[in-house]
């Protein structure tokens, strides 16, 4: 069936879906697992469920600190040896490097399917399990990272890796014929089929999931629908055979806080995950107010204006001054993995226009625009909130820091895409002083210019925000080009670059940044990785070409004045991460290079 034929059947689809939703036979539908559990017993905590701190007293969550300590002691030290061997090829003796390894975090930026694929290509090139990357010397950096942060489309990749228990990128993206069914990006996120009945079934399942949450008394929004769409591709339980059925929950019941039960989390194999989101002042409809972070252990913000955290398993609970209304007023099961990923990529405040009828600005030729308008109309008839363009989170921080926290008197938090304030890579989440990072790897797949390439806007925004708002709570950034034009003119947006080399006496202690921008292939072949933010489907062949280009660029680095990869790039990465890098000579061009002479002491 052609898209126009599909559109003509929307009214019929409406009748069918509504019938399914109100039917009593749907009561045991697996997709109803999306609903949180309300009115549960709260833990006994005389001091309340919220922990507060100041920029001067900030400390890691106990579970996070224990995870990082165990991973660095039991996993990362061995991973360094696996990657470096005896380190003789970079001029070191491995025994002399023990207990001197840097603490590393990786930040995956986001903007839809493009950045999920770009991040997959880059991570694969840094993964020891990829034999090609291992042979080139880049494979291994992922295994020595302590943190892995992501926002927006990057959170889809992160959630997919984690909730599938840390498979290789090859298995995850393309499937292995048994345990993993692939991302199936050839099936459009909004209109996956040209068959009318298939799309009705797909939309019906999504609406049933979201309706189950609404029936529990928790307001819903377009973010819930969006997150459920994402889960069909990036979580497990969905295959091509069951895509249009309710034989499974399609990830509806998976919880971010239960990630700690997965085998590869329990044995500290994976870096600690962090998801970033922005928020705007409730009811303002204006700009973002602060950066929020979500780990498997807690939710909140390190920004000085709030400086408070809630145990993630109780997200969805209304609290005042950290306390629930009564001993059985807690909520659990709100932190569905699909909702967390949906929250981090909730961009509807930027695209949803209801002034003259509903409009998203999506593709009209393949039915995406009409499909989303249809889903929005169904949501609007059931939603309990007027803020359908954000992720609605009950505010657990009511009464906290009323002088500096803009939502201290609000019942709700309005969370948005993690790049809403133009920080499209979640650097702020990693640069929290308590995390004490020495190196941050930035994977920037932003579409900043008209040709969908990054121009440094994300790094520049973070630099400005840390300098003006977060200086008391976050590590400073190393010097970077002063504006987007300088990023472009120096070529920093087109090649891997190290920021933070050759530090001079008296400069503040900052982490080294290793910057991997999305860029055209070195050999001049036609680029495939600069696709639009709202491209919601890719053929299997296009995905393969896309990821391979990102993989090869990461694998090869950049050799000056040629279109050839640098054969020493892998050694350069290893070299930079050891001891005093000021004497190292890397072939990768570095326009603004300031190497740190020493590492700051880690908090805690």
């Amino acid at each position: 069936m052609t898209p126009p034929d599909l559109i003509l059947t929307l009214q019929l689809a409406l009748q069918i879906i509504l019938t399914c939703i109100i039917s009593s036979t749907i009561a045991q539908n697996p997709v109803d697992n999306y609903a949180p559990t309300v009115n549960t017993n709260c833990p006994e905590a005389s001091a309340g469920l919220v922990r507060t701190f100041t920029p001067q007293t900030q400390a890691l969550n106990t579970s996070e600190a224990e995870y990082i300590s165990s991973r660095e002691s039991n996993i990362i030290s061995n991973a360094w040896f696996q990657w470096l061997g005896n380190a003789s090829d970079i001029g070191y003796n491995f025994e002399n490097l023990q207990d001197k390894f840097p603490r590393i975090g990786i930040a995956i930026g986001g903007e839809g399917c493009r950045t999920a694929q770009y991040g997959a290509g880059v991570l694969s090139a840094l993964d020891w399990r990829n034999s090609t990357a291992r042979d080139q010397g880049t494979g291994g950096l992922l295994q020595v990272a302590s943190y892995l942060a992501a926002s927006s489309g990057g959170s889809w990749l992160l959630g997919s890796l984690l909730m599938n228990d840390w498979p290789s990128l090859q298995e995850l993206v393309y499937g292995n014929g048994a345990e993993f069914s692939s991302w199936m990006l050839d099936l459009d996120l909004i209109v996956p089929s040209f068959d009318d009945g298939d799309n009705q079934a797909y939309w019906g399942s999504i609406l049933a999931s979201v309706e189950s949450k609404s029936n529990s008394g928790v307001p819903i929004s377009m973010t819930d629908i969006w997150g459920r769409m994402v889960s069909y591709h990036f979580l497990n339980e969905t295959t091509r055979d069951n895509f249009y059925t309710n034989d499974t929950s399609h990830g509806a019941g998976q919880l971010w806080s239960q990630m700690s039960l997965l085998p590869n989390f329990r044995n500290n194999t994976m870096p600690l995950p962090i998801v970033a989101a922005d928020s705007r002042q409730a009811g303002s409809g204006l700009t973002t107010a602060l950066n929020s972070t979500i780990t498997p252990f807690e939710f909140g913000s390190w920004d000085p204006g709030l400086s408070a955290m809630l145990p993630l398993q109780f997200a969805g609970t209304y609290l005042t001054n950290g306390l629930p209304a009564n001993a059985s007023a807690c909520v659990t099961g709100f932190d569905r993995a699909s909702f967390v990923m949906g929250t981090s990529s909730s961009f509807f405040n930027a695209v949803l226009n209801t002034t003259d009828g509903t409009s998203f600005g999506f593709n009209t030729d393949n039915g995406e625009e009409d499909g989303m308008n249809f889903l929005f109309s169904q949501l609007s008839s059931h939603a309990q909130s007027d803020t359908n363009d954000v992720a609605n989170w009950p505010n657990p921080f009511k009464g906290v820091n009323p002088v500096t926290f803009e939502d201290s008197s609000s019942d709700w938090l309005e969370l948005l895409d993690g790049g809403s304030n133009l920080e499209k890579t979640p650097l702020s989440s990693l640069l929290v002083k308590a995390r004490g990072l020495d190196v941050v790897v930035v994977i920037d797949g932003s579409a900043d210019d008209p040709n969908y390439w990054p121009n440094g806007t994300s790094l520049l925004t973070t630099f400005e925000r840390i300098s003006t708002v977060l200086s008391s709570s976050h590590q400073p950034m190393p010097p970077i080009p002063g504006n987007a034009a300088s990023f472009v003119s120096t070529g920093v947006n087109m090649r891997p670059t190290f920021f933070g080399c050759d530090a001079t006496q008296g400069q503040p202690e900052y982490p080294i940044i290793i910057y991997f921008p999305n860029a055209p292939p070195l050999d001049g072949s036609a680029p495939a990785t600069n696709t639009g933010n709202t491209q919601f489907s890719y053929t299997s062949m296009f995905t393969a070409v896309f990821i391979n280009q990102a993989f090869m660029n990461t694998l090869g680095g950049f050799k000056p004045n040629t279109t050839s990869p640098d054969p020493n790039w892998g050694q350069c990465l290893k070299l930079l991460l050891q001891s005093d890098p000021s004497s190292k000579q890397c072939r990768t061009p570095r326009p603004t290079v300031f190497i740190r002479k020493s590492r700051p002491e880690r908090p805690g």
Side-chain angles (χ1 to χ4, degrees):
M1 179 176 288
T2 63
D5 293 329
L6 183 152
I7 295 168
L8 290 174
T9 65
L10 286 177
Q11 291 304 315
L12 174 61
L14 167 60
Q15 296 174 4
I16 293 173
I17 291 168
L18 288 179
T19 299
C20 289
I21 290 176
I22 64 175
S23 171
S24 61
T25 61
I26 204 171
Q28 301 302 315
N29 195 330
V31 298
D32 289 354
N33 292 335
Y34 185 68
T37 302
V38 299
N39 299 320
T40 64
N41 290 332
C42 302
E44 293 184 11
S46 58
L49 290 174
V50 172
R51 73 178 184 98
T52 59
F53 44 87
T54 68
Q56 292 72 36
T57 64
Q58 65 174 220
L60 296 181
N61 173 278
T62 301
S63 295
E64 176 179 335
E66 291 174 351
Y67 187 91
I68 294 299
S69 177
S70 296
R71 175 165 167 76
E72 291 180 344
S73 299
N74 303 323
I75 302 296
I76 288 182
S77 58
N78 293 328
W80 275 110
F81 181 76
Q82 188 179 52
W83 190 23
L84 299 180
N86 62 17
S88 61
D89 64 334
I90 59 171
Y92 282 94
N93 183 325
F94 185 82
E95 295 298 322
N96 296 333
L97 299 176
Q98 295 281 17
D99 302 321
K100 298 178 183 178
F101 297 120
R103 179 174 290 175
I104 300 172
I106 300 175
I108 311 170
E111 275 178 329
C113 291
R114 181 190 66 255
T115 49
Q117 293 174 101
Y118 179 67
V122 175
L123 286 187
S124 188
L126 304 178
D127 191 342
W128 174 262
R129 295 170 295 180
N130 186 297
S131 59
T132 303
R134 185 166 65 242
D135 291 343
Q136 292 296 314
T138 58
L141 197 157
L142 177 60
Q143 277 66 33
V144 300
S146 297
Y147 289 95
L148 186 58
S151 68
S152 193
S155 75
W156 305 354
L157 165 61
L158 179 63
S160 193
L161 272 169
L162 301 173
M163 302 308 292
N164 284 285
D165 200 25
W166 202 246
S168 70
L169 275 301
Q170 182 81 13
E171 292 177 303
L172 186 69
V173 176
Y174 304 114
N176 61 6
E179 188 177 0
F180 304 105
S181 61
S182 87
W183 278 353
M184 300 181 288
L185 294 182
D186 56 306
L187 304 179
D188 191 272
L189 259 68
I190 302 170
V191 186
S193 177
F194 284 109
D195 182 273
D196 179 39
D198 285 347
N199 288 314
Q200 290 178 24
Y202 174 65
W203 294 335
S205 293
I206 288 170
L207 288 169
S209 277
V210 176
E211 180 74 3
S212 71
K213 180 176 179 178
S214 180
N215 288 340
S216 71
V218 179
I220 54 178
S221 72
M222 285 302 296
T223 301
D224 293 278
I225 288 176
W226 187 241
R228 293 299 300 126
M229 288 176 169
V230 168
S231 70
Y232 275 64
H233 297 268
F234 293 94
L235 297 182
N236 48 41
E237 298 187 342
T238 304
T239 67
R240 291 186 187 275
D241 291 336
N242 70 19
F243 199 95
Y244 303 104
T245 76
N246 287 343
D247 293 342
T248 75
S249 69
H250 301 286
Q254 295 178 28
L255 295 173
W256 204 259
S257 58
Q258 289 186 353
M259 186 185 300
S260 58
L261 303 178
L262 294 170
N264 278 309
F265 192 96
R266 296 182 68 179
N267 64 21
N268 309 123
T269 297
M270 57 183 76
L272 186 86
I274 303 171
V275 169
D278 285 336
S279 72
R280 70 183 186 195
Q281 185 176 4
S284 70
L286 299 175
T287 57
T288 56
L290 80 166
N291 177 265
S292 302
T293 60
I294 304 167
T295 74
F297 307 120
E298 59 185 2
F299 157 71
S301 179
W302 296 92
D303 287 17
L306 178 54
S307 296
M309 295 286 171
L310 169 79
L312 184 61
Q313 70 184 96
F314 296 109
T317 302
Y318 293 97
L319 301 173
T320 301
N321 296 318
L323 297 171
N326 57 66
S328 59
C330 279
V331 173
T332 59
F334 181 85
D335 60 305
R336 300 301 179 191
S338 57
F339 187 60
V340 170
M341 295 188 297
T343 294
S344 184
S345 58
S346 182
F347 66 133
F348 296 102
N349 63 303
V351 300
L352 179 57
N353 177 13
T354 57
T355 303
D356 299 311
T358 306
S359 173
F360 292 87
F362 293 162
N363 193 328
T364 58
D365 294 332
N366 65 0
E368 287 175 352
E369 177 72 12
D370 292 278
M372 287 301 280
N373 282 330
F374 165 67
L375 290 166
F376 180 78
S377 70
Q378 299 310 299
L379 174 85
S380 299
S381 65
H382 294 85
Q384 303 174 31
S385 171
D386 293 331
T387 51
N388 287 329
D389 62 343
V390 300
N392 293 309
W393 286 60
N395 185 7
F397 306 118
K398 188 173 183 178
V400 175
N401 292 336
V403 175
T404 57
F405 179 42
E406 293 179 322
D407 282 321
S408 183
S409 61
S410 174
D411 290 329
W412 288 95
L413 300 178
E414 297 182 5
L415 268 59
L416 309 167
D417 185 294
S420 296
N421 68 342
L422 300 183
E423 289 185 273
K424 296 174 185 177
T425 55
L427 262 176
S428 295
S429 300
L430 291 173
L431 294 179
V432 171
K433 286 183 177 179
R435 293 194 164 120
L437 290 180
D438 301 301
V439 178
V440 179
V441 178
V442 176
I443 302 173
D444 188 359
S446 306
D448 298 325
D449 71 17
N451 295 314
Y452 304 114
W453 300 115
N455 63 14
T457 294
S458 179
L459 265 65
L460 289 162
T461 303
T462 303
F463 189 98
E464 174 67 17
R465 191 163 182 266
I466 285 180
S467 300
T468 58
V469 179
L470 306 178
S471 60
S472 62
S473 55
H474 289 62
Q475 293 176 275
M477 282 177 62
I480 60 176
N483 51 51
S486 295
F487 262 84
V488 174
S489 65
T490 56
V492 178
N493 68 322
M494 288 290 164
R495 62 193 181 219
T497 302
F498 302 148
F499 296 111
C501 303
D502 301 328
T504 60
Q505 195 70 25
Q507 283 187 321
E509 296 286 4
Y510 39 67
I512 290 173
I513 290 178
I514 304 176
Y515 183 54
F516 287 102
N518 185 17
L522 290 173
D523 62 8
S525 58
T529 60
N530 58 328
T531 55
N533 296 343
T534 56
Q535 182 170 332
F536 300 132
S537 67
Y538 292 78
T539 67
S540 299
M541 178 62 74
F542 198 104
T543 290
V545 172
F546 186 121
I547 290 179
N548 186 63
Q549 287 189 1
F551 176 80
M552 295 304 296
N553 270 11
T554 307
L555 210 65
F558 181 87
K559 193 172 183 179
N561 304 315
T562 73
T563 57
S564 303
D566 183 353
N568 298 314
W569 170 236
Q571 283 191 329
C572 179
L573 272 179
K574 296 176 184 178
L575 205 58
L576 176 79
L577 296 172
Q578 301 312 316
S579 188
D580 174 9
S582 59
S583 63
K584 313 302 189 277
Q585 297 298 316
C586 291
R587 291 174 180 256
T588 300
R590 295 165 294 168
T592 310
V593 286
F594 301 86
I595 288 187
R596 276 183 20 197
K597 299 289 185 181
S598 60
R599 299 189 181 98
E601 223 166 287
R602 291 174 184 160

